[in-house]
Amino acid sequence: MAALNRLLRAGAAVRLPTAAARRCILSLAFSGGDARQGMPGRRDPVSRNVQWVFLGCPGVGKGTYASRLSQLLGVPHIATGDLVREELASSGPLAPQLADIVNQGKLVSDEIIINLLSKRLENAEANGESGFILDGFPRTIRQAEILEGVTDIDLVVNLKLREDVLLAKCLGRRICGQCGKNFNVASINVKGENGRPGIFMAPLPPPAQCMSKLVTRADDTEEVVKERLRIYNETSQPVEEFYRSRGKLLEFDLPGGIPESWPKLLQVLNLEDHDDKQSAAA
Ligand code: AMP
């Protein structure tokens, strides 16, 4: 229970209002409404930093979009998958047990995940960070209930992409072993058929300095990705329903790669990225 107590303390701490909220280049819509058209109803987020959750299948791009939004909004991007990988890399006491679970594509126990997350939130508190974008958590109803018990989530963004593309994206994913950035060597060009739109995603190639340091995640093999997708599909529906019934779920079908998807995502979130506009105009 110590872990939960820590999460409780941290959950309360990350709700403090900060100036970072005002620094955000955003104009948020506060009205309720159809989640497909815009933001579900939420409390005034200007009084504190956003507390958002990103849901979506492995490979959908949660990390990419959550990280971009975290920079835009000045809040930490907390990915439980990263916390698990850090624990594995640190060869801590949990590492052998975690390696087995992760390499089989299975979910880590709620206790372990909450323990890792509570430590991360404690660090956030110590660093004076406020608000968050959670990526990969909650993945089970129990995790969603625990989160709801300790803090108020404003918005849950559910990213969606067809399964054949998800598999190709996971298999094409590469990470720079030095800087930690994610790239993708997959070139996706699926033609539309039977009323389903086609989808094009250009590769996201690494810069020259990362080229010789690229690694593939141990759980990005075809067999393990298929198992991760199977488990995700099995466990995600109740979590989506949990947030849908609370009017917090924003469904977002990715229309393509980052150049098409990022502006559309900003549009449905009623956000503006001035840096992106400037680089597009340059
Ligand atoms: P991800 O990077 O989100 O695909 O996560 C990598 C792996 O970490 C998953 O396949 C799980 O084994 C584990 N993991 C990450 N987040 C969670 C979570 N919320 N609950 C249980 N296991 C998780």
Side-chain angles (χ1 to χ4, degrees):
M1 279 297 112
L4 288 189
N5 289 339
R6 284 203 299 277
L7 184 62
L8 273 165
R9 280 206 311 278
V14 292
R15 296 177 60 185
L16 293 172
T18 72
R22 292 184 291 277
R23 286 204 307 272
C24 299
I25 314 161
L26 78 170
S27 57
L28 290 162
F30 304 130
S31 58
D34 179 350
R36 278 198 173 261
Q37 301 300 322
M39 305 278 285
R42 343 176 239 140
R43 293 188 306 117
D44 176 1
V46 172
S47 64
R48 63 162 166 76
N49 268 342
V50 301
Q51 300 191 165
W52 289 358
V53 163
F54 265 66
L55 299 179
C57 284
V60 75
K62 294 186 296 296
T64 302
Y65 296 104
S67 154
R68 282 179 163 236
L69 284 169
S70 85
Q71 282 169 30
L72 187 64
L73 300 173
V75 296
H77 164 212
I78 302 179
T80 44
D82 287 347
L83 301 181
V84 168
R85 282 182 287 280
E86 279 163 25
E87 184 69 20
L88 276 171
S90 73
S91 308
L94 294 174
Q97 187 190 347
L98 285 178
D100 273 355
I101 300 168
V102 174
N103 292 340
Q104 288 176 53
K106 310 264 186 250
L107 288 186
V108 170
S109 73
D110 292 336
E111 285 70 22
I112 291 181
I113 281 293
I114 284 164
N115 198 354
L116 293 175
L117 182 59
S118 67
K119 277 192 210 148
R120 175 63 183 84
L121 289 172
E122 275 183 348
N123 287 343
E125 182 188 2
N127 295 336
E129 293 172 329
S130 114
F132 51 73
I133 298 184
L134 289 179
D135 155 4
F137 183 96
R139 268 197 172 64
T140 63
I141 279 286
R142 184 158 169 245
Q143 292 176 9
E145 285 169 350
I146 289 169
L147 188 62
E148 185 176 62
V150 296
T151 195
D152 201 8
I153 296 300
D154 309 312
L155 175 71
V156 178
V157 181
N158 190 22
L159 296 183
K160 292 172 152 184
L161 198 54
R162 45 192 286 176
E163 191 146 326
D164 48 350
V165 175
L166 290 170
L167 181 60
K169 279 194 70 204
C170 283
L171 298 183
R173 180 156 50 193
R174 300 289 181 276
I175 299 162
C176 173
Q178 190 165 13
C179 72
K181 286 204 177 120
N182 272 268
F183 305 100
N184 209 300
V185 297
S187 180
I188 291 159
N189 193 358
V190 182
K191 301 241 171 346
E193 53 180 13
N194 303 330
R196 260 177 121 186
I199 191 153
F200 172 76
M201 289 182 168
L204 190 61
Q209 69 268 22
C210 298
M211 199 64 96
S212 60
K213 297 157 198 136
L214 295 185
V215 289
T216 304
R217 273 171 51 172
D219 58 348
D220 272 345
T221 64
E222 183 163 350
E223 191 190 351
V224 180
V225 171
K226 283 185 172 162
E227 178 64 358
R228 287 163 60 205
L229 288 171
R230 188 191 66 75
I231 291 176
Y232 186 84
N233 290 330
E234 205 174 84
T235 54
S236 64
Q237 279 199 356
V239 177
E240 288 169 18
E241 198 39 52
F242 182 90
Y243 289 116
R244 188 176 293 115
S245 68
R246 286 154 174 78
K248 294 189 173 179
L249 194 71
L250 172 70
E251 308 269 19
F252 186 76
D253 286 297
L254 289 160
I258 296 171
E260 299 81 34
S261 302
W262 177 238
K264 285 222 164 103
L265 182 60
L266 290 176
Q267 197 185 356
V268 296
L269 293 171
N270 287 307
L271 294 171
E272 265 190 64
D273 183 351
H274 289 305
D275 287 349
D276 203 49
K277 272 194 183 160
Q278 274 162 9
S279 58

